[in-house]
Amino acid sequence: MTRLRLGMPSPIGAISPASWNALVGDDYPFLRHEFLSALEDTGAVAADTGWVPRHLTLWHGDELVGALPHYLKYHSFGEYVFDWAWADAWERAGGRYYPKALSAIPFTPAPGPRLLLAEDVDPQQARRLLAESWEAGEVSSWHLLFAEQAEVDAWRQACPELIPRHGVQFQWRDRGFGDFDGFLATLTSKRRKAIRRERRRIAEQGLTLHRLQGDEIGDEDLAHFFRCYQLTYLERGQRGYLDESFFERLHRDLPESLLLIQARLAGRPVAAALCLQGARTLYGRYWGSEVMADGLHFEACYYQGIEHCLATGLTLFDPGTQGEHKLTRGFAPRRLTSLHHIVDPRLRDGVARFCDEESSHVAAYHDAAARALPFKI
């Protein structure tokens, strides 16, 4: 396909839902028009919160053939790849770091696709055309976060000046376990006994766990979940990025993507974890509890998710960012790469040196984490 045209940057509401979603696969709900619209329409993503949606689109005539989530950022909150030190150093040197450009899913450190393309679009041509949008000088930098490795490699080939930065997350993958007992059978005796003890402790405290999907999630269930979600932030003296109307929108517009794991005590809900799911992957995202109970977080956020994957044929469970405690529960380290385009060569050189020095420490951490996995050799 030739004669691609770069569209005017726009909020998601200015783009046809059907045209956008036609480019989205079936395993990553965070790129669907409904999810991005819920963020923007409820005010979580807006100029007032430091996120200005300016999604980039590619057109062939009147047909949408490419799309990239894209935001102008006036801070670095809600990204989970931290560049505060870069911003501080540059501004102390007299530069202006913000606004910067960002291609990521707000508040969602879940690896997945970023650039959406129709099948007959030349990927390299598309990337070079998109790169013009941050070469114009309006922003200090462009950052691509939590993209899949194949996409990272393609961007680096198209734009060799991009600076890679490495990180680590933890994910569970089905190795043909069959069921939860089959999963436990692959672990060392020590870890197998520890997990069984943790799960028994849940029952001993009178707690029961329930998995609700889609339309099984009632309005009261969702309202209770939101109270728990707020508590997680209030414990740290903060407020959540997302309000109740955001979750109500997801429940209305993407019910098939929602899994609510609810803990009950004497029949009354007391804790909840809300996950999203695609065709092959479960994404653990939001959690909160009204009670203090031994092992409840591990049960609701990890073991129930593993059981759900094994029961429904999902092969990958991404439980969220950070946390070495995931290792002992069978979540393996995965290396991730973000990409960074820095306009000013003085800042670019400093960032490149920082990322190069950091990479050896990240590699050592990944290897040490992999050696700590509790699977039998």
Side-chain angles (χ1 to χ4, degrees), residues 184 192-207 294-295 299 303:
L184 289 181
R192 184 167 60 249
K193 291 178 180 177
I195 291 173
R196 284 176 172 157
R197 184 166 57 249
E198 285 179 341
R199 304 200 81 186
R200 284 198 305 270
R201 183 64 183 136
I202 296 299
E204 290 168 358
Q205 295 171 96
L207 293 160
D294 291 345
E299 179 65 35
Y303 303 144

Side-chain angles (χ1 to χ4, degrees), residues 80-94:
Y80 302 93
V81 175
F82 304 109
D83 62 349
W84 293 104
W86 304 354
D88 180 63
W90 188 234
E91 294 186 356
R92 282 192 288 108

Side-chain angles (χ1 to χ4, degrees), residues 3-9 55-59 126 129-134:
R3 292 192 295 182
L4 288 179
R5 173 174 59 87
L6 184 63
M8 289 293 293
H55 303 300
L56 301 179
T57 54
L58 295 171
W59 300 80
L129 184 58
L130 289 166
E132 295 177 5
S133 66
W134 54 82

Side-chain angles (χ1 to χ4, degrees), residues 316-366:
L316 184 67
F317 180 18
D318 170 5
T321 192
Q322 301 177 344
E324 289 84 356
H325 55 274
K326 299 182 178 78
L327 275 173
T328 56
R329 292 162 178 88
F331 292 82
R334 172 187 175 182
R335 292 190 67 174
L336 301 173
T337 304
S338 57
L339 293 177
H340 308 271
H341 172 77
I342 310 295
V343 174
D344 192 290
R346 295 167 296 174
L347 178 60
R348 181 167 63 242
D349 290 346
V351 168
R353 286 195 303 271
F354 172 87
C355 291
D356 184 58
E357 293 172 2
E358 184 186 50
S359 66
S360 61
H361 299 289
V362 173
Y365 173 75
H366 172 275

Side-chain angles (χ1 to χ4, degrees), residues 130-207:
L130 289 166
E132 295 177 5
S133 66
W134 54 82
E135 290 284 2
E138 178 185 0
V139 295
S140 70
S141 51
W142 172 72
H143 307 264
L144 178 72
L145 308 185
F146 298 101
E148 295 170 329
Q149 189 58 48
E151 184 170 346
V152 168
D153 294 341
W155 273 107
R156 294 189 70 186
Q157 182 178 352
C159 306
E161 74 280 3
L162 292 172
I163 300 168
R165 185 181 186 186
H166 302 292
V168 174
Q169 281 192 342
F170 301 94
Q171 297 180 342
W172 178 91
R173 190 176 297 273
D174 187 6
R175 301 181 181 180
F177 301 126
D179 56 19
F180 199 88
D181 284 338
F183 162 62
L184 289 181
T186 67
L187 303 180
T188 62
S189 174
K190 179 180 178 180
R191 287 312 309 162
R192 184 167 60 249
K193 291 178 180 177
I195 291 173
R196 284 176 172 157
R197 184 166 57 249
E198 285 179 341
R199 304 200 81 186
R200 284 198 305 270
R201 183 64 183 136
I202 296 299
E204 290 168 358
Q205 295 171 96
L207 293 160

Side-chain angles (χ1 to χ4, degrees), residues 27-30 108-112 114 146 168-174 274-278 280-286 301-302 305-306 309 314-322 326 331-332 334 336:
D27 196 43
Y28 197 73
F30 308 108
T108 308
R114 291 296 176 262
F146 298 101
V168 174
Q169 281 192 342
F170 301 94
Q171 297 180 342
W172 178 91
R173 190 176 297 273
D174 187 6
L274 186 65
C275 307
L276 277 79
Q277 57 187 350
R280 295 169 295 281
T281 305
L282 180 68
Y283 301 93
R285 296 268 62 86
Y286 317 104
C301 295
Y302 304 143
I306 291 173
C309 288
L314 301 178
T315 57
L316 184 67
F317 180 18
D318 170 5
T321 192
Q322 301 177 344
K326 299 182 178 78
F331 292 82
R334 172 187 175 182
L336 301 173

